Amino acid sequence: MSSGDSRGQTATDTLIGRSRDLKRIHDLLGLGAEGGALLLSGQAGVGKSAVLDAVAEAASATGARVLRATGTQFEADCSYSGLNQVVLPLQEAMDCLEDTYRDALCVALGFESGPPPQRLVVSNATLVLLQKAAADQPLLVVIDDLPWIDRPSAAVLDFVARRMTGSKVSLLAAARSESPALHESGGLQEYGLEPLDKEAADHLLTTRFPRLVGGVRQRLMTAAQGNPLALLELPTALRAAQLAALEELPAVLPLPRRLGELFGSRIASLPDGSQRLLLLAALEGTGDLGVLQAAARQTGPGEVLDDLAPAERAHLVHIDLGTRRLTFRHPLVRSAAVETSASGARHAAHRALAHALAEQPERQAWHLGEATLEPDEHVAALLEHAARLTLQRGDAVGSVRTLTRSAALTPHGPARGRRLAEAAYIGAESTGSLRSAQALLDDARQADPAVQVSLHSAAAAAVLLLNGDSDLDTAHRLLVGAIEDTPHGYDAQDAALVDALHLLLLLCFYGGRQELWHPFYAALERLRPKVPPALSAAAKTFSDPARTGAAAREELDRLLAQLPQQTDPVEIARTGTAAVYLDRLGDVREAAWRVVRQGRAGGSARRHLAGLMHLCL
């Protein structure tokens, strides 16, 4: 088993952000001076092997001799196989040892036959051999994956490490933080290699993948949590369109093979009950032990804390009984719990979670959607409602994903086309994912050809036209036609109609011609029972502010007063739009910053840009 550290990369890739660590390790080893021993610890993939390589390379460059050994699972039961790796380059020098030491080493290492030597004699022989080898030049012994070094060799090396002070021999070994080797190493000095800080992680990711879009980079950095191997491997499991933010990222990031093996092997060694609980926790997402207990009762016998104990001992999760929460030690453990499970187990876990979340309709709908394999209008309707709640919280990407799932579970007919068209509109208007929005719109038209005249379909097409060949007149004509021909009854509570009118307002403004406004105001006059506040205010301040702007002051004051409590980025952006020509954008500043921060954290790209534009103005 490797330590999960990447070997085939350049120093620029692997050692970004490690200069301080390398200097500290060099000082602690006393290389070429008094000698010393150090145990390098760190999580899987944190870069231990890369640091060992760099220390060994630096030692060689200063004239030191480097002896290396690497523990492997397949030789862990082969006595003295690890010591053989270290001593083999010194085989000729063994003739300089006194006969007792020479014979003991030769038999232990398999060079000669004879009765098994005492371990203390082998240990002393090794110490003397290394000291003799260091007489003419400093000597550095580097041991990677110490936990997989066979126990006799580990015992000898531990003996030697404790007696290096005052010689020119130094020893540097590496082990995972959760490894038993750390406890067995007793008094050896330990140096913990921490994950990269945010600046170094961003530098590494940008250096290796310079075309990553900001939101995608942030998501990968959050998942990797400074783990260099994860930073270098996670992007390789994503499609080019996902890396460029032309397609949304999945809720749980896929793991490339190396990361899957690294984290998945630790899960595979757990009892079945523990694996089942980890899968439930990974899919549940919040770590609520009460929900996990309720869901666990649906999937099998056992108590949550009992079944989670092996995973906790393996340092995969942390249980806080005070807050009744489970947290994964690393986000990639969560990904591995999902990736290593069978599809049947995932469906069963989603069903169990849906049952446990009966009092949380939005989350229940999502789990029902993942557990349902055949079209089901009831589940599809629940998902549609959940998608709208998700959008109100500012998660446009999640809303598109939920609506798309809703459409997939909708029996063939107009409802499927309508839901796909709404997903296309949100994708084009809020997330800025134009390519996937076009694909959704094409699917909507295929599902129901009549959807072409629907409000969401026309609005999506208008946004795509505007951001494609900038054919504003065609976009305006499409949108006006849908507003006038769709049987909505001019209901001011119809969200699709209000969305279409806000978009039409912008199209009229962009066009800058008086005739474009006529159908907009005709529609506003027919709205019942009254025009929504943000639309009414923007209509007065955006079309002809010199003549009608003053009439919007009271409406705008009420909208601005609601901003501190407003969480919907759409309403914040619309209030900002209404405030531009009355010079009240200063009152929108704090709310606009909230939208910008939300966008930088992976939220709606278009709302993020709208917030930036309002701040700049």
Side-chain angles (χ1 to χ4, degrees):
M1 289 285 289
S2 74
S3 66
D5 303 314
S6 184
R7 282 193 175 278
Q9 291 144 10
T10 66
T12 301
D13 291 333
T14 55
L15 296 183
I16 287 173
R18 293 300 187 200
S19 57
R20 237 180 246 176
D21 293 306
L22 291 174
K23 183 179 185 308
R24 182 63 178 152
I25 291 169
H26 181 274
D27 293 342
L28 291 172
L29 281 174
L31 186 62
E34 292 300 312
L38 188 66
L39 186 59
L40 184 67
S41 65
Q43 64 181 215
V46 79
K48 298 183 295 298
S49 293
V51 168
L52 293 184
D53 289 343
V55 172
E57 184 178 342
S60 295
T62 60
R65 184 173 187 178
V66 178
L67 303 176
R68 301 196 65 155
T70 299
T72 62
Q73 183 177 6
F74 307 106
E75 292 187 358
D77 295 326
C78 184
S79 294
Y80 293 116
S81 59
L83 187 62
N84 183 287
Q85 293 183 60
V86 174
V87 175
L88 187 61
L90 304 177
Q91 187 175 3
E92 292 182 0
M94 290 170 59
D95 291 335
C96 299
L97 298 176
E98 61 180 77
D99 291 346
T100 302
Y101 284 165
R102 179 194 169 281
D103 294 344
L105 266 182
C106 285
V107 172
L109 300 178
F111 300 152
E112 296 178 2
S113 59
Q118 294 182 358
R119 187 173 297 172
L120 181 60
V121 178
V122 175
S123 298
N124 277 308
T126 303
L127 178 61
V128 172
L129 180 63
L130 293 176
Q131 289 174 336
K132 286 182 176 294
D136 298 326
Q137 64 180 137
L139 186 67
L140 173 64
V141 180
V142 177
I143 312 292
D144 201 357
D145 275 334
L146 181 61
W148 288 114
I149 291 287
D150 64 279
R151 295 186 71 84
S153 294
V156 170
L157 293 169
D158 184 63
F159 175 92
V160 170
R162 296 172 192 278
R163 291 159 176 80
M164 286 182 173
T165 303
S167 70
K168 290 186 178 181
V169 182
S170 298
L171 183 143
L172 177 62
R176 292 184 188 174
S177 302
E178 67 276 8
S179 167
L182 294 184
H183 305 291
E184 296 169 359
S185 62
L188 281 187
Q189 188 172 8
E190 179 185 345
Y191 183 85
L193 192 63
E194 298 295 328
L196 297 177
D197 61 29
K198 185 176 181 180
E199 182 180 355
D202 186 56
H203 185 194
L204 176 58
L205 202 54
T206 303
T207 300
R208 283 298 299 273
F209 305 96
R211 296 184 181 179
L212 272 182
V213 175
V216 178
R217 183 190 299 112
Q218 184 59 48
R219 175 76 186 280
L220 294 175
M221 285 179 60
T222 300
Q225 287 194 343
N227 185 293
L229 181 66
L231 288 165
L232 294 170
E233 292 286 328
L234 280 173
T236 65
L238 300 178
R239 295 189 294 273
Q242 291 173 323
L243 293 172
L246 298 175
E247 292 181 14
E248 63 177 290
L249 297 181
V252 178
L253 290 175
L255 294 183
R257 182 183 59 81
R258 290 188 67 195
L259 289 177
E261 292 173 352
L262 189 64
F263 289 93
S265 61
R266 298 169 65 192
I267 293 174
S269 65
L270 297 174
D272 291 344
S274 300
Q275 293 187 45
R276 186 175 69 250
L277 259 297
L278 282 187
L279 177 59
L280 283 171
L283 296 177
E284 190 271 337
T286 72
D288 187 323
L289 291 177
V291 173
L292 294 180
Q293 178 69 73
R297 293 194 186 103
Q298 307 297 315
T299 59
E303 290 295 320
V304 164
L305 294 181
D306 292 340
D307 283 338
L308 286 174
E312 192 174 16
R313 287 194 294 270
H315 298 274
L316 295 173
V317 297
H318 172 70
I319 307 294
D320 188 331
L321 293 178
T323 61
R324 293 183 55 75
R325 293 281 171 184
L326 171 150
T327 55
F328 286 97
R329 294 284 188 177
H330 195 285
L332 296 185
V333 176
R334 181 188 177 206
S335 293
V338 175
E339 292 246 338
T340 56
S341 63
S343 58
R346 290 194 295 273
H347 282 100
H350 280 300
R351 281 195 299 272
L353 288 167
H355 185 275
L357 293 166
E359 296 182 2
Q360 301 182 48
E362 186 179 350
R363 297 179 65 202
Q364 182 190 45
W366 188 82
H367 286 292
L368 280 174
E370 292 301 307
T372 305
L373 299 177
E374 297 180 348
D376 186 319
E377 177 56 30
H378 173 66
V379 176
L382 290 175
L383 283 167
E384 181 179 10
H385 178 66
R388 296 199 174 112
L389 295 176
T390 302
L391 184 62
Q392 289 172 10
R393 292 201 315 274
D395 185 2
V397 171
S399 181
V400 171
R401 183 171 56 243
T402 307
L403 266 175
T404 304
R405 183 60 180 156
S406 171
L409 293 176
T410 304
H412 288 285
R416 177 180 288 190
R418 174 177 58 77
R419 287 162 177 157
L420 285 169
E422 186 172 356
Y425 167 71
I426 296 170
E429 204 272 343
S430 292
T431 73
S433 300
L434 302 183
R435 184 181 297 179
S436 59
Q438 182 64 65
L440 287 168
L441 189 57
D442 292 342
D443 290 344
R445 290 167 176 168
Q446 186 173 357
D448 178 23
V451 81
Q452 191 154 347
V453 295
S454 74
L455 287 168
H456 277 135
S457 176
V463 173
L464 290 169
L465 278 170
L466 201 61
N467 288 278
D469 54 15
S470 303
D471 189 348
L472 186 141
D473 287 337
T474 301
H476 183 275
R477 186 168 61 254
L478 275 174
L479 199 53
V480 169
I483 291 170
E484 294 177 348
D485 297 339
T486 303
H488 44 63
Y490 287 91
D491 180 4
Q493 304 300 315
D494 188 319
L497 176 60
V498 174
D499 287 342
L501 288 170
H502 273 285
L503 179 58
L504 183 58
L505 179 145
L506 293 178
L507 292 178
C508 296
F509 172 76
Y510 295 151
R513 304 196 306 273
Q514 184 179 7
E515 66 271 17
L516 296 177
W517 289 97
H518 296 321
F520 172 78
Y521 278 107
L524 251 58
E525 289 175 4
R526 299 180 67 182
L527 280 181
R528 295 294 182 271
K530 63 178 182 179
V531 182
L535 182 59
S536 176
K540 295 181 178 73
T541 63
F542 235 57
S543 62
D544 195 356
R547 293 182 175 83
T548 62
R553 279 180 180 152
E554 290 186 10
E555 291 175 314
L556 185 58
D557 284 341
R558 288 192 290 271
L559 289 169
L560 293 171
Q562 296 169 6
L563 281 183
Q565 293 78 41
Q566 183 60 259
T567 58
D568 187 345
V570 174
E571 291 303 313
I572 292 172
R574 288 173 177 175
T575 300
T577 297
V580 171
Y581 287 110
L582 288 188
D583 198 19
R584 299 290 300 280
L585 275 174
D587 297 317
V588 186
R589 182 180 288 110
E590 292 305 319
W593 269 118
R594 289 204 306 273
V595 174
V596 170
R597 286 192 289 268
Q598 191 179 63
R600 288 174 176 171
S604 168
R606 186 169 181 274
R607 302 305 168 203
H608 174 195
L609 292 175
L612 285 175
M613 286 191 287
H614 288 157
L615 288 167
C616 291
L617 287 171

